[in-house]
Amino acid sequence: QVQLVESGGGLVQAGGSLRLSCAASGSIFSIDAMSWYRQIPGKQRELVATINSGGSTNYADSVKGRFTISRDNARNTVYLQMSSLKPEDTAVYYCNANIKSLRWDVYRACWGQGSQVTVSS
């Protein structure tokens, strides 16, 4: 069984910083791309940032220059460093990873439980 456990959400004032972490555990054989998404109630989940197994990154235009995604392959963990936070960054943030477990023949998308990030003005 594979699970992703997130930590690091919370309340911060505009202009502040937060770091989210997401650790994958279980019978993992390999992890491909890892990503962070966010969702506001009543809206579709949107992709915030992605990092592939080689370390290449992509960001949504709305967070470029403010957010940094990184990963520690030895710990099967992905991070999202968020700086210069704005009230419009308020959302539930979900980590996502494409994982091949010891029991699967293909990569499957796995999700974290979600972390609330609230930015006050």
Side-chain angles (χ1 to χ4, degrees):
Q1 187 174 356
V2 173
Q3 63 175 354
L4 300 181
V5 178
E6 301 179 28
S7 60
L11 173 64
V12 65
Q13 288 189 333
S17 299
L18 278 177
R19 188 175 86 152
L20 301 178
S21 301
C22 173
S25 63
S27 54
I28 296 170
F29 176 75
S30 176
I31 301 178
D32 193 6
M34 304 182 84
S35 304
W36 288 95
Y37 288 73
R38 65 187 182 187
Q39 188 168 25
I40 300 169
K43 293 195 174 182
Q44 285 191 331
R45 193 171 295 187
E46 66 168 348
L47 178 62
V48 174
T50 297
I51 183 167
N52 68 15
S53 57
S56 296
T57 59
N58 278 293
Y59 297 91
D61 287 342
S62 59
V63 306
K64 279 181 182 176
R66 301 188 298 120
F67 290 11
T68 301
I69 188 170
S70 61
R71 63 191 286 171
D72 182 337
N73 291 328
R75 298 177 185 270
N76 290 334
T77 299
V78 62
Y79 305 96
L80 185 68
Q81 178 66 49
M82 303 181 290
S83 302
S84 301
L85 282 160
K86 304 175 181 180
E88 52 263 43
D89 294 317
T90 296
V92 178
Y93 285 70
Y94 296 91
C95 65
N96 167 277
N98 291 329
I99 297 175
K100 183 184 288 187
S101 88
L102 298 174
R103 297 184 177 184
W104 305 333
D105 293 331
V106 297
Y107 284 93
R108 295 185 182 181
C110 301
W111 292 90
Q113 80 277 16
S115 297
Q116 177 69 47
V117 171
T118 302
V119 184
S120 63
S121 57

